[in-house]
C-alpha cells in the first residue's frame, strides 16, 4: 500500500491512503490520523489500511479524491530518528550520521538557505521506515523491521573549501510498503531507476539497486548494534553515481570531481537561491513509486 501525509494545519498532518498509480487518495480517518500511530500499532492498523487501499485501487472507496502532491507534507514530519547511512568506498566501513528528525520538507516547501550561504549540493537518498527493532538485531531481523520505503533529496551547504555540511532534506510525498516494489525489493536493495533534474534539465540517472553498496539490513544491524531502534525511525542510504558517469550524476560533487579529472577544474556551479532539484524513482517497468522529491532554494 501507499501512504502520504496531507497538510491540515497541525505539525503532524493527516494520514491519507494513495492509489497505486498516485492518482487518487482517501483520508484514513476512522483507522488512524497520523502515520506514527500506524507504525506504533502496525499489526492491528495496517490490515485495515490495506483494505482501504484495495478498495481505492478498485474504485470502490466512496470518498476518494484526486491526489495532489503539493498538499503533502514530508510523510513522517517528526520522525523518531533520522539517520543517514553512507559507505563511500570499497572496503570502507559503514558510517551512520544522525540528522535532525524535525523540519523535514514536503514537496511544496522551499528550503530557506542558512546564514553564510555560499552554495549547496544535493544527494538523492532511498529511505526505509522502521518498526521497533531490538538492540543487537541481525541484518536479517533488521530487514523484517522495514515497514515502508521512500525517497528523499538531501541538501548540503558547501563552503569555499568545497566542504559539505548537511542542511535539510526534502521527501517525496508517498511512502510504500516493500511489496509495492514487487521483485524490485530484494535482499534489502530497491531496484529502481532514479532520475535527477536540476532546473528542469536532465542531470543524472542511476540504478538504485546496482549502485547501492550496502543493503538496508546492514544499515539497520549497525544502527541497532548498541540500542533499540524505535518505530518511526528513518534510515536513508545514498543513491550513487554510476562508476563511469555515462548516465549523468547523482550529485554536483560527483559531476565536479569528474570535470576536475577530465578538464583540470570543475565547471558546474553549486546550487544557488532560486535553483530547483527534482528526484524521482520508478520501478524497472516504469511505474511510479513515491512521486517526486522536489525542492527550491529560497
Amino acid at each position: 500500500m501507499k501512504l502520504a501525509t496531507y497538510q491540515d494545519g497541525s505539525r503532524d498532518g493527516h494520514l491519507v491512503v494513495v492509489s497505486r498509480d498516485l492518482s487518487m487518495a482517501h483520508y484514513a480517518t476512522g483507522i488512524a490520523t497520523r502515520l506514527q500511530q500506524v507504525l506504533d500499532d502496525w499489526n492491528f492498523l495496517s490490515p485495515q489500511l490495506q483494505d482501504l487501499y484495495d478498495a481505492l485501487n478498485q474504485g470502490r472507496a466512496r470518498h476518494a479524491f484526486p491526489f495532489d502532491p503539493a498538499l503533502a507534507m514530508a510523510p513522517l514530519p517528526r520522525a523518531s530518528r533520522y539517520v543517514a547511512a553512507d559507505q563511500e568506498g570499497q572496503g570502507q566501513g559503514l558510517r551512520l550520521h544522525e540528522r535532525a528528525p524535525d523540519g523535514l520538507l514536503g514537496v511544496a516547501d522551499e528550503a530557506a538557505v542558512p546564514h553564510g550561504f555560499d552554495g549547496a549540493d544535493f544527494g538523492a537518498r532511498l529511505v526505509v521506515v522502521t518498526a521497533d527493532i531490538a538492540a543487537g538485531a541481525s541484518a536479517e531481523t533488521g530487514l523484517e523491521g522495514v515497514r515502508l520505503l521512500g525517497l528523499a533529496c538531501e541538501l548540503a551547504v558547501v563552503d569555499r573549501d568545497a566542504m559539505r555540511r548537511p542542511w535539510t532534506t526534502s521527501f517525496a510525498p508517498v511512502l510504500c510498503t516493500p511489496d509495492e516494489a514487487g521483485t524490485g525489493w530484494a535482499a534489502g536493495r530497491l531496484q529502481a531507476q532514479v532520475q535527477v533534474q536540476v532546473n528542469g534539465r536532465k542531470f543524472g540517472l542511476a540504478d538504485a539497486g546496482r549502485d547501492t553498496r550496502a543493503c538496508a539490513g546492514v544499515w539497520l544491524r549497525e544502527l541497532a548494534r548498541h540500542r533499540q531502534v524505535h518505530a518511526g525511525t528513518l534510515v536513508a542510504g545514498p543513491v550513487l553515481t554510476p562508476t563511469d558517469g555515462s548516465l549523468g550524476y547523482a550529485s554536483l560533487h560527483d559531476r565536479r570531481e569528474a570535470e576536475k579529472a577530465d578538464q583540470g577544474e570543475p565547471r558546474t556551479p553549486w546550487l544557488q537561491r532560486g535553483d530547483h532539484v527534482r528526484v524521482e524513482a520508478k520501478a524497472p517497468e516504469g511505474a511510479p513509486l513515491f512521486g517526486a522529491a522536489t525542492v527550491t532554494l529560497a
Side-chain angles (χ1 to χ4, degrees):
M1 64 184 165
K2 297 189 176 185
L3 305 171
T5 296
Y6 253 30
Q7 302 169 16
D8 67 351
S10 72
R11 292 183 177 183
D12 296 306
H14 200 293
L15 182 65
V16 297
V17 176
V18 183
S19 63
R20 181 168 288 111
D21 63 1
L22 309 186
S23 65
M24 302 297 291
H26 196 290
Y27 283 107
T29 308
I31 302 172
T33 58
R34 294 180 293 108
L35 180 56
Q36 185 63 50
Q37 291 175 264
V38 180
L39 294 166
D40 289 338
D41 197 6
W42 183 264
N43 290 338
F44 178 68
L45 295 177
S46 65
Q48 300 175 58
L49 291 173
Q50 183 68 48
D51 289 343
L52 177 56
Y53 179 68
D54 293 341
L56 181 63
N57 285 315
Q58 295 165 11
R60 297 187 290 103
R62 293 181 58 192
H63 302 293
F65 52 87
F67 177 60
D68 184 354
L71 297 179
M73 306 170 69
L76 199 61
R78 293 192 292 172
S80 298
R81 195 176 175 193
Y82 176 34
V83 179
D86 291 305
Q87 186 173 355
E88 296 182 351
Q90 297 290 349
Q92 294 184 5
L94 183 69
R95 296 184 298 171
L96 300 175
H97 304 280
E98 297 281 346
R99 301 282 196 256
D102 59 348
L104 304 177
L105 304 180
V107 171
D109 295 328
E110 293 183 330
V113 300
H115 178 71
F117 173 83
D118 290 316
D121 196 3
F122 66 87
R125 287 187 176 273
L126 291 173
V127 181
V128 297
V129 186
T130 75
D132 288 328
I133 300 173
S138 66
E140 293 75 15
T141 301
L143 280 180
E144 292 173 1
V146 172
R147 293 291 182 250
L148 297 162
L149 308 175
L151 179 71
C153 178
E154 183 176 84
L155 294 178
V157 174
V158 182
D159 63 22
R160 292 172 184 173
D161 296 321
M163 296 296 292
R164 301 169 79 255
R165 177 168 52 85
W167 149 39
T168 192
T169 304
S170 178
F171 282 76
V174 173
L175 298 174
C176 72
T177 48
D179 62 285
E180 287 295 320
T183 58
W185 174 251
R189 290 180 173 86
L190 179 66
Q191 304 295 328
Q193 296 294 320
V194 179
Q195 304 169 358
V196 180
Q197 294 181 356
V198 177
N199 295 327
R201 296 183 178 181
K202 184 183 297 184
F203 189 85
L205 178 68
D207 184 323
R210 184 192 67 186
D211 300 320
T212 299
R213 297 190 182 107
C215 75
V218 174
W219 306 345
L220 297 172
R221 181 194 67 199
E222 294 304 305
L223 192 59
R225 183 176 293 275
H226 300 296
R227 63 172 171 138
Q228 179 184 10
V229 177
H230 293 285
T233 295
L234 305 175
V235 185
V239 175
L240 303 176
T241 293
T243 305
D244 59 3
S246 60
L247 298 177
Y249 300 88
S251 70
L252 290 171
H253 172 270
D254 290 348
R255 182 167 179 171
R256 286 169 60 91
E257 286 297 301
E259 291 170 342
K260 185 176 179 180
D262 293 341
Q263 305 171 40
E265 63 179 2
R267 303 291 181 86
T268 302
W270 299 114
L271 298 174
Q272 299 295 324
R273 287 180 174 86
D275 285 340
H276 180 80
V277 181
R278 185 179 192 274
V279 178
E280 186 173 14
K282 293 186 177 182
E285 69 276 10
L289 288 171
F290 316 109
T294 65
V295 63
T296 300
L297 278 63

